[in-house]
Amino acid sequence: ELGPPLPPQQVERRDASSLSISEFVEKYAKPGLPVIITGLNVTKDEDAWTLDFFKRKCNVSVALRMKNDSLKSWGKLQTAGHLNLPEFIDTFHTNETRQTWYLHDW
């Protein structure tokens, strides 16, 4: 049985330019503390992580999920189907069924 929920906590924000890898590991990763890292360019010289970027770079089949409130599992998500990521991106705004689907842990 779970206890009462914990109160929300403030999550520290750190700019990537002032956070070394060793400081991140010691201060956040090892103790398991969350941190929001801002200003981090993970794509280097490539395009920003836009939907078009993912359509070009990730032409893979993805498992899609949908919410099912009757499930007792964490997240209450069930399999909705599989699609190639570019097709899902192109249609999730216009297809009413796909508007209820989620990309989860892909």
Side-chain angles (χ1 to χ4, degrees):
E1 182 176 311
L2 296 175
L6 297 173
Q9 70 180 53
Q10 287 292 97
V11 176
E12 188 174 353
R13 296 177 81 89
R14 295 287 306 271
D15 190 86
S17 65
S18 66
L19 180 63
S20 69
I21 293 172
S22 60
E23 182 184 6
F24 169 77
V25 169
E26 294 300 320
K27 189 170 180 181
Y28 304 103
K30 283 184 179 178
L33 295 174
V35 61
I36 299 169
I37 301 174
T38 61
L40 183 63
N41 182 1
V42 295
T43 57
K44 302 237 184 252
D45 295 329
E46 295 188 45
D47 299 334
W49 284 9
T50 64
L51 291 177
D52 284 334
F53 172 85
F54 286 107
K55 283 172 48 177
R56 285 193 317 276
K57 299 288 187 177
C58 303
N59 189 15
V60 295
S61 180
V62 292
L64 297 154
R65 308 282 185 247
M66 62 187 290
K67 188 133 178 137
N68 181 340
D69 288 326
S70 67
L71 294 176
K72 299 207 184 297
S73 60
W74 182 90
K76 298 184 177 187
L77 296 176
Q78 71 180 34
T79 299
H82 288 80
L83 283 175
N84 280 342
L85 183 62
E87 181 182 353
F88 179 66
I89 290 171
D90 285 341
T91 60
F92 79 98
H93 283 297
T94 57
N95 182 301
E96 286 187 29
T97 300
R98 292 180 186 170
Q99 289 176 8
T100 64
W101 292 358
Y102 300 89
L103 282 170
H104 185 267
D105 288 345
W106 64 283

